[in-house]
Amino acid sequence: MAYEKELELALLAVQRAAILTKSVYSSHSKGTLTKTDSSPVTIGDFGAQALIIASIKSAFPNDEVVGEEDADDLRANPDLKNLVWDLVQQAKLSDPAAQDKIGGPIKSADDMLKALDGGASEGGNKGRIWALDPIDGTKGFLRGGQYAVCLALMVDGVPTVGVIGCPNLPVDDKAPLDSKIGTDADDKEGKGVLFGAVKGQGATSRALTDGKLEAPKTITMSPLPDVAQATFCESVEAGHSSHGDQADIARKLGITKASVRMDSQAKYCSIARGAGDLYLRLPTSKTYQEKIWDHAAGVVLVQEAGGEVTDAYGKQLNFGIGRTLKENKGIVAAPKAVHAKVIEVVKEVLSAKKD
Ligand SMILES: Nc1ncnc2c1ncn2[C@@H]1O[C@H](COP(=O)(O)O)[C@@H](O)[C@H]1OP(=O)(O)O
Ligand SMILES: [Mg+2]
């Protein structure tokens, strides 16, 4: 099967990075810090990015990576560098054969910095480029809710392999979705899911473990004969998408169920496995450009589970023009059969706002 090696590498690398993020949450008081550009980040972001890029570069030395982080903060702060270096050395898969497949440990702190800086690709529509978000949904991570380790391989600008690790989603694909799932208040049992998809080959989920890969289960979106019955997902953060516009769209579609708010690409995962139906992300800002690492993996998953993903105007997402989706505004993900109807209503709501 095409991309078999890439999928296995991505699954194992994401699994190891997820182990690292869990150790940051439990042993390092969540590891929060503020980057020199004042955006929030955790020590887990650096460690997870370094591990995943080192794995990619050892298996596929010529591939490029567009990663969210870089090593500038670690170079400027030796204590921080040492802290992340300790984390990276400890994060190992329990199964030696699985660990061997992802290139073993990084040899030195300097190698770790080099790996971290390996995410500086400018992207583009030629060749093989990976898009990596080591911790997507930092706010969710900090509140003990949903976050995701997200990795996609783009081939000639097209997201082709997508893997997402969600340490706080329930393993059961059909567990009811509500905004409290995965919060600290919940039982920790039965949590942690690893999703994978390859273009043209379907989408799967399996329990996220720390060893060998579990057997995959095929996932598909729920059949949604009547869009009024939909459950729609949106960001927790009102600054990331317009809760008001999304509520208007839902009302016009006849949807009466309350939205499910969760952080990160766990939203794409949840609709791909049929636990929810729609993901609406209407822009709050005229200037914000969505980042490719925030969507590439989720898009492959939803497409392969029977869905369609476009921007808010129904335009195809263009992943091949750099590190952002600068030609697109907002995101609408829905089962294929209802996508056009949803876009029609989204356009109505957006054009009414302009008047
Ligand atoms: N104004 C904005 N509009 C849309 N997304 C945003 C905005 N500001 C930040 N983000 C991104 O939203 C993502 C999280 O989305 P969600 O709300 O679905 O969890 C983060 O990767 C974050 O990027 P960053 O990490 O650079 O702040
Ligand atoms: Mg992100």
Side-chain angles (χ1 to χ4, degrees):
M1 285 263 235
Y3 299 107
E4 204 169 350
K5 193 171 164 215
E6 287 81 354
L7 176 66
E8 186 184 37
L9 178 96
L11 289 165
L12 291 169
V14 164
Q15 197 172 340
R16 175 168 61 165
I19 294 168
L20 180 145
T21 65
K22 290 208 287 191
S23 79
V24 168
Y25 190 79
S26 54
S27 329
H28 292 270
S29 308
K30 305 169 189 173
T32 332
L33 53 115
T34 304
K35 283 202 284 197
T36 36
D37 70 1
S38 81
S39 57
V41 68
T42 82
I43 53 175
D45 289 77
F46 298 118
Q49 172 154 326
L51 283 177
I52 290 176
I53 295 182
S55 296
I56 294 171
K57 294 284 182 188
S58 86
F60 306 110
N62 297 326
D63 288 5
E64 290 185 26
V65 184
V66 173
E68 180 167 15
E69 309 301 337
D70 59 51
D72 291 355
D73 288 83
L74 271 54
R75 289 189 205 281
N77 181 341
D79 289 344
L80 180 60
K81 178 178 87 176
N82 292 334
L83 188 60
V84 178
W85 176 226
D86 283 347
L87 282 172
V88 161
Q89 286 173 287
Q90 284 157 23
K92 286 200 180 73
L93 297 176
S94 59
D95 178 55
Q99 177 64 48
D100 277 355
K101 287 186 179 154
I102 47 176
I106 300 173
K107 299 276 182 315
S108 67
D110 278 347
D111 284 351
M112 173 185 79
L113 298 183
K114 227 172 101 192
L116 245 175
D117 274 339
S121 166
E122 286 306 319
N125 61 4
K126 296 273 180 310
R128 290 164 50 108
I129 305 177
W130 297 78
L132 166 63
D133 193 341
I135 296 188
D136 181 34
T138 305
K139 301 253 171 68
F141 175 82
L142 298 176
R143 46 169 94 87
Q146 294 310 320
Y147 72 96
V149 179
C150 307
L151 179 62
L153 171 63
M154 303 183 306
V155 180
D156 297 336
V158 178
T160 302
V161 178
V163 167
I164 301 184
C166 296
N168 288 340
L169 270 187
V171 176
D172 178 6
D173 286 323
K174 295 293 174 262
L177 264 195
D178 71 53
S179 297
K180 288 218 315 276
I181 50 167
T183 57
D184 269 352
D186 279 3
D187 181 7
K188 290 265 178 211
E189 289 303 304
K191 266 196 270 175
V193 196
L194 188 58
F195 297 89
V198 178
K199 204 171 167 53
Q201 296 177 27
T204 62
S205 81
R206 68 187 94 209
L208 175 70
T209 65
D210 65 2
K212 258 198 224 78
L213 292 172
E214 298 276 311
K217 291 171 286 176
T218 297
I219 54 170
T220 54
M221 296 187 87
S222 277
L224 185 65
D226 177 9
V227 72
Q229 302 303 319
T231 298
F232 84 91
C233 301
E234 61 182 355
S235 290
V236 177
E237 295 298 317
H240 293 175
S241 69
S242 170
H243 289 168
D245 290 346
Q246 285 145 207
D248 285 349
I249 292 159
R251 206 174 308 114
K252 279 185 185 260
L253 287 167
I255 295 173
T256 51
K257 283 186 222 156
S259 69
V260 175
R261 290 184 180 162
M262 60 169 81
D263 299 284
S264 83
Q265 291 183 60
K267 292 185 280 297
Y268 283 111
C269 300
S270 295
I271 68 167
R273 72 199 316 210
D277 301 296
L278 310 176
Y279 170 19
L280 302 176
R281 188 180 188 92
L282 277 285
T284 50
S285 132
K286 284 205 165 58
T287 52
Y288 185 78
Q289 298 180 357
E290 297 285 350
K291 310 295 188 290
I292 62 172
W293 55 79
D294 281 330
H295 301 285
V299 164
V300 191
L301 265 186
V302 167
Q303 287 173 338
E304 288 304 313
E308 190 162 341
V309 189
T310 63
D311 78 0
Y313 296 91
K315 197 168 154 192
Q316 288 307 309
L317 301 176
N318 190 350
F319 285 91
I321 43 165
R323 292 172 66 91
T324 71
L325 296 170
K326 52 180 163 289
E327 286 181 355
N328 298 108
K329 281 285 164 219
I331 303 283
V332 172
K336 266 194 198 118
V338 301
H339 187 271
K341 171 74 194 161
V342 177
I343 290 293
E344 194 185 302
V345 171
V346 171
K347 282 185 185 161
E348 260 173 55
V349 167
L350 291 179
S351 67
K353 268 179 46 157
K354 283 189 194 131
D355 301 336

